[in-house]
Amino acid sequence: MTTAGAFTHLPALAAAAEPAQLLPAREQMAFTLGFHIILVPFGVALTTLMLIAHWRGLRKGDAEALLLARRWSKVAAVLFAVGAITGTVLSFELGILWPRLMGDYGSAFGFPFAIEGLFFFLEAIFVALYIYGWDRMPPWAHFWTGVPVSLAGVGGTASVVAANAWMNQPGGITVEHGKVVAVRPAEVFFNDAFWLEFWHMLIAAYIIAGFVVGGVYAVGMLRGRRDRYHRVGFLTGFVTAACALPVQILVGDTIARQVFDDEPAKFAAIELLPDTGSHVPETLGGVLVDGEVRYGIKIPDMASLLAGFKPSTTIKGLEAVPAGVRPTDAQANIVHWAFDIMVGTSFLMLAVALWFAWLWWRRRHTLATDRWFLRSAAVCGIVAILCLESGWVVTEVGRQPWIVVGHLLTRDAVATRGDLWPFFGAVLLLYLAVGAAALWVLRSMTRRWRQQGDEAVSVPYGPERPAGTTTGKAS
């Protein structure tokens, strides 16, 4: 059932007092999801970049590419381990924090997570084989052990996105007297919101991983390490992200119109629109205070034009949502600002990608020495993560006050017993410890690689480096 469908049959619900546990449950879920989502792109896309470098190394006899693949495989293994820890905590949180969600809708909501578990184990097995296979397996046989790692990451992402999309547009269930009496697994997984959300997240993974990897080597080049090793590392990541970004903008634009059609409450929050109307302006910035938009910059007719390709398109405002299930002004402000940040950072990265294309076309030889471009490329890694986080805020906060749209309110799903604040504190300390340990391990690895230099590291089944030659230090 879509949000639009929910509006047609739900009576206006009286505002209920929020349970005491709702705030800590929301805060904990926001923190743990926000932490874990950063790791997802590396499980999906860093392994693909690793395979690209590995393929180039084998096919072209490129020792630097093979060295990159080997080192990236170790980074991917560390991040996989961290993701396993944080993902496991998340799975327990669903039952502890939101017992009614799992109790009433677990037969449907849990199905995509069961599939995700299978992909997780497949990925774990082949990560171990791939890491172990360096120096121990025939070259191409070893390469092919890495392919299931990347494919399993895609499958796991699809499964989690299916669960999230189902919460936005639930389907595949029969509900009688408030209870799920029948589940159609294929319809649950491939719900109406699945495909666009899946492609949006998958492409985002390549953008984040590509710009972060490119940013690491851009920093290295800024520090004077402009050898071929750094150039190959930079280009492998940055070009992947730059090529994916225009496609992502088109997919995002399509999703916005799907939200306009199927989730009018979320779209009204995105547009910061209190009242239904046509010729709706696009509001940049601004805040909603007591049902009135203040301080924003308005572009006349633009919201209506983007939603329906004509200025006369009517957009439902927040006032069309029944009072008991209407997003608060604060929630609408969060969604609106997150959407603005997501779109703004996307176009900032696109500008840097176009800058790269111009440099590559006109002045390729200056690419590694253009310090302003390298600074911008390095910042793109951080900007890409900010864009990712903003997109998930739009998705998650934009669904509020529903946890399953049209079926279950967030305030009705939360745990009502015990005190969740100590649980949140313990999880916070765990995640901070795991994050600090991961950064320390990665930093130690890169420091050791720089101290060794490329020439001190054996390159598996690659061409021997001529005696007395070096490629400089690696980052």
Side-chain angles (χ1 to χ4, degrees), residues 355-425:
W355 187 2
F356 168 80
W358 184 83
L359 286 174
W360 187 260
W361 176 46
R362 297 295 300 271
R363 298 187 298 164
R364 186 180 307 184
H365 63 283
T366 67
L367 186 66
T369 58
D370 191 320
R371 297 187 67 83
W372 279 110
F373 168 73
L374 291 175
R375 290 187 185 104
S376 300
V379 171
C380 275
I382 299 172
V383 173
I385 292 174
L386 176 61
C387 183
L388 174 71
E389 294 282 8
S390 300
W392 274 91
V393 169
V394 173
T395 298
E396 298 303 298
V397 181
R399 188 173 57 245
Q400 299 306 313
W402 298 101
I403 195 167
V404 180
V405 173
H407 291 280
L408 182 62
L409 293 167
T410 305
R411 65 173 180 253
D412 295 333
V414 73
T416 57
R417 297 181 181 179
D419 186 356
L420 294 180
W421 285 112
F423 183 38
F424 180 25

Side-chain angles (χ1 to χ4, degrees), residues 7 264-266 268-269 288 318 321-333 335 397-402:
F7 291 166
K266 181 184 292 186
L288 190 63
L318 293 171
V321 183
V325 294
R326 183 181 303 158
T328 65
D329 286 359
Q331 289 167 343
N333 289 330
V335 173
V397 181
R399 188 173 57 245
Q400 299 306 313
W402 298 101

Side-chain angles (χ1 to χ4, degrees), residues 70-429:
R70 185 168 192 165
R71 290 177 172 175
W72 288 350
S73 70
K74 295 178 180 179
V75 173
V78 172
L79 297 178
F80 177 82
V82 176
I85 295 170
T86 57
T88 300
V89 173
L90 276 170
S91 65
F92 282 106
E93 283 180 347
L94 290 171
I96 295 172
L97 301 180
W98 315 104
R100 273 203 61 189
L101 170 64
M102 303 310 295
D104 292 355
Y105 296 95
S107 56
F109 180 69
F111 173 72
F113 283 106
I115 303 299
E116 193 273 339
L118 297 177
F119 282 116
F120 171 80
F121 285 115
L122 181 67
E123 187 175 7
I125 291 168
F126 280 95
V127 162
L129 287 174
Y130 186 81
I131 297 295
Y132 180 81
W134 290 107
D135 297 322
R136 294 181 175 88
M137 297 178 66
W140 283 106
H142 177 226
F143 169 83
W144 286 108
T145 63
V147 173
V149 178
S150 183
L151 294 179
V154 173
T157 299
S159 301
V160 174
V161 168
N164 183 268
W166 182 85
M167 296 165 76
N168 292 327
Q169 295 189 44
I173 58 173
T174 301
V175 180
E176 294 181 2
H177 307 295
K179 299 292 184 182
V180 176
V181 297
V183 176
R184 298 174 292 282
E187 293 180 32
V188 168
F189 197 101
F190 300 106
N191 56 77
D192 291 342
F194 168 75
W195 285 110
L196 284 176
E197 283 197 27
F198 165 65
W199 285 113
H200 199 49
M201 183 63 213
L202 182 63
I203 298 170
Y206 286 94
I207 293 170
I208 278 74
F211 277 136
V212 169
V213 168
V216 168
Y217 292 95
V219 170
M221 287 190 281
L222 283 168
R223 293 176 177 174
R225 295 189 287 271
R226 293 170 182 162
D227 47 77
R228 186 174 182 278
Y229 173 90
H230 281 78
R231 289 197 301 273
V232 173
F234 171 78
L235 290 172
T236 302
F238 192 90
V239 171
T240 299
C243 291
L245 189 56
V247 180
Q248 179 73 320
I249 291 173
L250 291 175
V251 172
D253 182 62
T254 305
I255 288 178
R257 274 187 289 278
Q258 183 190 58
V259 171
F260 166 69
D261 291 331
D262 298 331
E263 301 179 73
K266 181 184 292 186
F267 195 81
I270 287 172
E271 298 297 342
L272 211 63
L273 182 62
D275 301 312
T276 301
S278 61
H279 296 275
V280 176
E282 184 71 31
T283 302
L284 305 179
V287 292
L288 190 63
V289 180
D290 297 328
E292 180 182 350
V293 179
R294 300 180 184 177
Y295 315 118
I297 300 172
K298 296 185 178 182
I299 304 175
D301 296 343
M302 184 58 68
S304 289
L305 187 63
L306 292 174
F309 301 110
K310 54 184 180 180
S312 59
T313 301
T314 298
I315 301 177
K316 291 183 178 179
L318 293 171
E319 52 84 20
V321 183
V325 294
R326 183 181 303 158
T328 65
D329 286 359
Q331 289 167 343
N333 289 330
I334 290 171
V335 173
H336 173 71
W337 272 95
F339 184 82
D340 280 2
I341 292 170
M342 178 182 67
V343 173
T345 51
S346 295
F347 280 96
L348 281 175
M349 292 185 290
L350 181 62
V352 178
L354 293 174
W355 187 2
F356 168 80
W358 184 83
L359 286 174
W360 187 260
W361 176 46
R362 297 295 300 271
R363 298 187 298 164
R364 186 180 307 184
H365 63 283
T366 67
L367 186 66
T369 58
D370 191 320
R371 297 187 67 83
W372 279 110
F373 168 73
L374 291 175
R375 290 187 185 104
S376 300
V379 171
C380 275
I382 299 172
V383 173
I385 292 174
L386 176 61
C387 183
L388 174 71
E389 294 282 8
S390 300
W392 274 91
V393 169
V394 173
T395 298
E396 298 303 298
V397 181
R399 188 173 57 245
Q400 299 306 313
W402 298 101
I403 195 167
V404 180
V405 173
H407 291 280
L408 182 62
L409 293 167
T410 305
R411 65 173 180 253
D412 295 333
V414 73
T416 57
R417 297 181 181 179
D419 186 356
L420 294 180
W421 285 112
F423 183 38
F424 180 25
V427 170
L428 181 65
L429 291 175

